[in-house]
Amino acid sequence: MESVPLFFDRLDKRLERKIDTKNLTPREELVQKYMRMQGIFALSGLSLMLMVAWILGAKMMAEFSLVYIPFMMVAGNIMKRSKQMLKIIFLFKISMIIISSVYIVRMGGILTSGGLFLLTIQAVTSSVIMRDFRRIFAVAFSFVIAVTLLVVLEPYFPTRYALNQHQNTIFLGFNLVLITGYIFFFSLYAVNLYSKMEQRETQRQKELNDAKTRLYTNITHEFRTPLTVILGLADAVKYGQQNHIEAKMDTIIRNGKNLLQLVDQMLDLSKLESGKISINRIHANIIPFLKYIFQLQEFYAEGKRINMSFFSESQSYELDFDPEKTAAVVSNLLNNAIKFTNEGGNVQLKVFRKSDSLYIEVRDTGIGIPGEKMEQIFDRFYQVDGKNTRKEGGAGIGLSLTRELVNLMDGTINVKSVPEEETVFTVQLPIRHEHEKAEIEKNPAFEAELEAKQLTNSVSETQNGSPKHLLIVEDNADVIAYMKACYETHFKITVAQDGLEGHKRALEDVPDIIISDVMMPGMDGFELCKKLKDDYRTSHIPIILLTAKADIPSRIEGLEQGADAFVVKPFNQQELMVRMQNLLDLRKRLFECYKNGNGSECSSDPVIQKEDVFFKRLNESINNNLCDEHYDIHKLCEDMAMSKSQLYRKFRALTNDSAARYIRRQRMKRAKELLQTTDMNITEVGYEVGMKSLSTFSQLFKDEFGESPREFQNHLQVNGNGKAH
């Protein structure tokens, strides 16, 4: 409707003053207004009905009014306080039908109850306010059942309380006018309410679109500024401006971290909206953790000469908390405090306990927040200074994310501010002790940086001096160039542009370690990982998945496909170096047992168990052909369906030895066993293990065991070791 009666506008404004609309959704507000107005109308009508009943001496109608008026008042109070308003309305409508039906029965039926059944019609027509088809249908169905029973069972109803003809006619007319007026009035009122709700929704959408426009503008600015700095400094270094190189690199890193923080915030907001963020609590002392977060922010404060201070009433507050979410909250608050505090100002992080809550207080002496804008600062995309000329940047999502994360952790966040003097953000978290005590994981990049300083050149060389072979599977040319620049002095590097090429390269070259992106054309990193881990030719190769998908489900999926490590982009080059070193060292220790041809005998590790399949097949092939003097590495490759280079690299990784030497060792082990357990002579034993030349057999046996077959036999006889007969 283009115009709404002024009367309804005034009525609506009066209702808004009585209803606290701040914590209500538009739909809940509409229902509250409608039900309040309906209550006023009904109470007025019932009061008038009571007066008419008293004048006419209609005792049963008067009793109905006296029962119904308190019922309406109690139901109205319950609706105001209940959080399940629609459920209460539904029960109220059903109760209306039941009460009206009871009094119709007592007054002898529909025809002698003065049109009382019209009130039950009102219960049905007003149920549309619930906007829930199942509940509306249930009310209508209840009405139909009630009317049907009243008509069918009318001959059995008592008639002593029935209205006389005169009373019946008056009340029928009264109720008809009342219900007609009700339907007309509330039809207009409902149109007014829905019209206003549509106007508000239109306004809300406009404000949201304006906010999004500001967001896109701000994000463009937030991205372009650090990118301009990064690209400019990179060009300067590239074209020979080598002065202040360390300061330039620090600036590039700082701006890159700012970009990463913005991306992380946007991703977190997206996860919150979709309900995909979960709480992962541990039980630990939160103070060292908060000190670590505080120290990370001190770096940014140094540039503005801001005085940073940390204070805690106790050095140990043990409770259940989510380290990742807590770090995001505290970092955002400290970052904001530093951003809006002038040079020489103060920022303090204070931690204290009150009863069953832990309080984290961030106090700064910055520019402050005007009182009229205090309630809006936690709104998404909102900025206290929304002008393009504002002094400090930002996309307006940090505090919104902070509040939502605090709420997710069952906490609260409040702010107090005196402009140009002081601003205090206070986070309250519940103290719980439901989880087992755990150690907080240290920051991987920080630990990697420390460990990398202690690395030796062992990562880049094998025992024979040749570099380890690294296969990089990545579809981004810049990332490939960056990784080659980082690791080309430590590894022999091969590159594959996608998963399909990576799979082919891995089978052909059998590298020592693989780093693969996850999202690639043709074959993604998960599928590549699974294929290589399921193939005994490549199952031993450590695989590191490198991806921008940092969420827990992606990590779990990668590990389920057999990945040995999961590193998130952008990665720290020293951290990745440490990961590769650790994986190569771990493989070296695990595969020590294969030097002697053993596998599961020395370890129950899943990696060993998987390689046992390869070794069992290998040993079976060798043992079945020990007596064949012409059985060599070429025939072994045919039996294993592997090329010579594949077998060589696989064998070198598992045993740090050659396959040919392993075949000889197996022959000699079998020869030793035959000498110990049979009456065969040395020549016969030599023939049995494929050695037709006695001199060659004796030399190889001595090389393996330190004595010739004859000397070994003599020792057996001296020691009295019996042979099988």
Side-chain angles (χ1 to χ4, degrees):
M1 293 178 67
E2 293 183 2
S3 61
V4 180
L6 188 61
F7 168 76
F8 288 115
D9 280 341
R10 291 174 178 173
L11 194 63
D12 204 44
K13 288 177 181 177
R14 287 188 179 182
L15 285 174
E16 284 180 356
R17 285 197 290 267
K18 294 182 179 181
I19 298 173
D20 182 15
T21 59
K22 292 181 181 178
N23 299 320
L24 298 177
T25 64
R27 183 185 173 190
E28 289 172 339
E29 182 184 339
L30 183 146
V31 173
Q32 278 268 23
K33 288 179 178 179
Y34 189 89
M35 292 307 296
R36 285 219 180 184
M37 200 63 234
Q38 186 187 71
I40 294 170
F41 193 98
L43 288 173
S44 301
L46 287 168
S47 299
L48 190 57
M49 181 185 290
L50 179 61
M51 291 175 60
V52 174
W54 180 71
I55 293 170
L56 296 177
K59 294 181 181 180
M60 191 55 63
M61 196 62 79
E63 181 185 323
F64 171 79
S65 301
L66 288 171
V67 168
Y68 216 87
I69 289 173
F71 170 72
M72 290 282 296
M73 296 176 70
V74 171
N77 282 323
I78 293 174
M79 270 184 241
K80 281 193 290 185
R81 291 171 173 77
S82 176
K83 293 182 179 179
Q84 296 182 324
M85 190 189 309
L86 295 180
K87 187 176 180 181
I88 299 300
I89 293 173
F90 171 71
L91 295 175
F92 173 64
K93 299 299 179 185
I94 296 295
S95 300
M96 286 175 64
I97 295 172
I98 294 172
I99 293 172
S100 299
S101 299
V102 169
Y103 276 91
I104 290 172
V105 170
R106 294 181 66 188
M107 287 190 281
I110 292 176
L111 299 178
T112 58
S113 60
L116 203 57
F117 75 95
L118 292 172
L119 294 181
T120 59
I121 295 176
Q122 180 270 336
V124 176
T125 57
S126 63
S127 65
V128 294
I129 195 66
M130 293 186 289
R131 303 184 74 178
D132 183 333
F133 176 77
R134 289 182 300 175
R135 285 175 173 156
I136 294 171
F137 178 79
V139 172
F141 184 73
S142 301
F143 169 75
V144 171
I145 293 296
V147 172
T148 302
L149 291 174
L150 289 172
V151 172
V152 172
L153 301 176
E154 186 173 350
Y156 305 101
F157 296 159
T159 58
R160 63 182 180 275
Y161 296 118
L163 300 175
N164 60 43
Q165 187 174 359
H166 178 66
Q167 291 172 333
N168 192 48
T169 302
I170 291 175
F171 276 108
L172 179 61
F174 177 84
N175 284 324
L176 188 61
V177 171
L178 185 67
I179 294 304
T180 303
Y182 169 86
I183 292 173
F184 177 75
F185 178 85
F186 278 97
S187 295
L188 290 177
Y189 186 59
V191 169
N192 176 62
L193 286 177
Y194 281 113
S195 175
K196 283 205 163 187
M197 191 172 75
E198 288 175 1
Q199 291 173 9
R200 289 184 180 181
E201 180 62 21
T202 301
Q203 181 64 26
R204 192 185 70 84
Q205 288 294 336
K206 182 179 181 302
E207 291 174 356
L208 183 61
N209 289 334
D210 290 343
K212 286 182 177 179
T213 301
R214 288 196 304 272
L215 171 69
Y216 298 146
T217 303
N218 294 340
I219 285 180
T220 302
H221 176 76
E222 290 300 305
F223 272 97
R224 290 180 70 87
T225 301
L227 283 173
T228 301
V229 173
I230 291 170
L231 293 174
L233 290 176
D235 281 341
V237 173
K238 180 180 179 180
Y239 292 110
Q241 296 180 18
Q242 300 298 322
N243 57 316
H244 307 296
I245 191 72
E246 186 174 344
K248 289 176 180 177
M249 292 302 103
D250 287 341
T251 304
I252 289 174
I253 291 170
R254 185 166 60 254
N255 280 270
K257 287 181 177 178
N258 289 340
L259 283 175
L260 180 61
Q261 183 184 29
L262 179 60
V263 171
D264 286 342
Q265 286 180 346
M266 296 178 69
L267 288 174
D268 285 342
L269 277 177
S270 175
K271 290 176 186 176
L272 279 166
E273 285 183 340
S274 61
K276 292 182 178 178
I277 273 196
S278 58
I279 293 295
N280 301 301
R281 290 187 174 91
I282 64 168
H283 187 80
N285 181 7
I286 198 173
I287 298 302
F289 178 73
L290 292 177
K291 282 183 178 178
Y292 172 70
I293 301 301
F294 181 80
Q295 289 167 358
L296 290 179
Q297 294 295 327
E298 280 185 311
F299 169 78
Y300 299 105
E302 287 176 3
K304 296 179 71 173
R305 296 189 179 91
I306 291 174
N307 301 311
M308 300 283 287
S309 59
F310 182 96
F311 173 76
S312 175
E313 290 184 349
S314 171
Q315 293 306 305
S316 178
Y317 286 124
E318 293 197 355
L319 69 153
D320 298 343
F321 68 98
D322 185 321
E324 183 181 350
K325 311 299 183 299
T326 305
V329 167
V330 177
S331 295
N332 271 335
L333 294 178
L334 286 172
N335 190 272
N336 264 7
I338 295 168
K339 183 190 295 184
F340 294 104
T341 299
N342 295 322
E343 186 172 322
N346 299 299
V347 173
Q348 182 191 67
L349 177 63
K350 182 179 179 182
V351 188
F352 57 95
R353 174 177 180 168
K354 283 186 181 178
S355 63
D356 292 330
S357 295
L358 183 80
Y359 290 83
I360 302 171
E361 188 179 271
V362 176
R363 184 184 301 266
D364 68 74
T365 57
I367 60 176
I369 305 165
E372 68 274 10
K373 298 183 178 180
M374 200 81 73
E375 294 183 0
Q376 298 171 281
I377 61 169
F378 293 109
D379 292 347
R380 195 168 300 179
F381 314 136
Y382 179 79
Q383 292 166 320
V384 174
D385 182 1
K387 301 175 183 177
N388 293 330
T389 55
R390 67 189 188 280
K391 183 178 179 181
E392 295 293 343
I397 56 179
L399 286 177
S400 172
L401 174 64
T402 298
R403 182 178 64 177
E404 295 193 41
L405 289 176
V406 170
N407 291 339
L408 198 64
M409 294 188 289
D410 301 323
T412 60
I413 181 169
N414 297 297
V415 59
K416 294 179 181 178
S417 182
V418 179
E420 304 301 333
E421 290 186 20
E422 184 179 71
T423 300
V424 182
F425 283 89
T426 305
V427 175
Q428 173 264 323
L429 296 175
I431 294 179
R432 295 171 179 162
H433 305 279
E434 298 168 2
H435 293 70
E436 293 184 5
K437 188 169 182 179
E439 291 294 327
I440 300 175
E441 292 185 7
K442 296 180 180 178
N443 183 280
F446 181 72
E447 292 300 311
E449 187 173 346
L450 295 179
E451 192 172 345
K453 292 178 181 178
Q454 302 169 359
L455 281 179
T456 63
N457 292 329
S458 60
V459 66
S460 60
E461 294 186 358
T462 59
Q463 288 184 356
N464 61 6
S466 60
K468 294 280 189 182
H469 186 180
L470 167 64
L471 171 61
I472 299 173
V473 187
E474 169 66 62
D475 61 339
N476 186 292
D478 289 335
V479 175
I480 292 172
Y482 172 57
M483 293 178 71
K484 288 179 74 173
C486 291
Y487 306 122
E488 62 186 357
T489 58
H490 302 284
F491 295 94
K492 172 190 173 185
I493 296 177
T494 304
V495 174
Q497 300 291 338
D498 56 46
L500 291 172
E501 186 184 351
H503 183 252
K504 181 181 176 183
R505 287 275 189 181
L507 291 177
E508 289 177 354
D509 301 339
V510 192
D512 295 295
I513 192 166
I514 297 173
I515 299 176
S516 174
D517 190 17
V518 168
M519 299 181 69
M520 297 179 294
M523 181 190 297
D524 65 23
F526 294 142
E527 186 180 354
L528 172 65
C529 184
K530 187 176 188 306
K531 281 181 175 290
L532 294 179
K533 290 297 183 179
D534 288 344
D535 192 322
Y536 68 84
R537 294 171 291 181
T538 53
S539 57
H540 66 286
I541 304 173
I543 300 177
I544 298 175
L545 290 180
L546 189 66
T547 179
K549 296 177 69 176
D551 55 295
I552 297 299
S554 296
R555 291 172 181 262
I556 292 174
E557 184 179 357
L559 296 173
E560 284 177 344
Q561 302 300 340
D564 297 273
F566 205 99
V567 176
V568 179
K569 292 179 181 177
F571 59 89
N572 180 287
Q573 69 178 79
Q574 293 172 323
E575 177 193 0
L576 187 54
M577 186 70 170
V578 171
R579 292 285 184 99
M580 288 190 284
Q581 163 71 22
N582 290 342
L583 284 173
L584 289 170
D585 287 347
L586 177 62
R587 285 295 192 272
K588 184 178 179 182
R589 291 194 298 270
L590 283 176
F591 298 149
E592 283 290 328
C593 54
Y594 283 122
K595 287 185 177 180
N596 298 318
N598 300 320
S600 56
E601 296 177 15
C602 21
S603 176
S604 59
D605 190 281
V607 176
I608 293 293
Q609 300 294 337
K610 204 161 193 175
E611 298 310 317
D612 279 344
V613 176
F614 169 77
F615 253 93
K616 284 176 182 176
R617 182 174 174 181
L618 181 94
N619 287 332
E620 184 180 338
S621 181
I622 294 173
N623 292 333
N624 289 340
N625 294 279
L626 281 179
C627 59
D628 182 1
E629 67 174 317
H630 301 295
Y631 190 79
D632 57 10
I633 186 67
H634 298 286
K635 291 187 177 181
L636 179 60
C637 288
E638 291 178 10
D639 289 347
M640 299 298 293
M642 298 173 73
S643 68
K644 187 176 180 181
S645 62
Q646 285 175 332
L647 185 64
Y648 170 79
R649 295 198 65 83
K650 173 88 176 181
F651 227 84
R652 174 69 68 179
L654 294 179
T655 66
N656 199 31
D657 205 349
S658 68
R661 192 187 303 274
Y662 184 81
I663 294 173
R664 288 202 301 271
R665 187 179 297 119
Q666 292 301 99
R667 291 184 190 276
M668 295 305 103
K669 284 175 66 177
R670 178 60 177 162
K672 182 179 181 182
E673 181 184 337
L674 291 173
L675 289 172
Q676 285 178 316
T677 60
T678 70
D679 289 328
M680 297 172 65
N681 60 39
I682 294 174
T683 303
E684 291 172 330
V685 169
Y687 271 78
E688 187 65 24
V689 296
M691 294 289 174
K692 297 294 191 290
S693 169
L694 185 60
S695 60
T696 302
F697 173 49
S698 296
Q699 184 60 47
L700 291 176
F701 193 93
K702 187 172 185 178
D703 290 343
E704 185 68 27
F705 301 114
E707 55 185 356
S708 67
R710 178 68 61 192
E711 292 170 337
F712 180 74
Q713 253 186 351
N714 292 336
H715 283 147
L716 286 176
Q717 292 172 355
V718 170
N719 294 329
N721 293 334
K723 299 180 182 180
H725 293 281

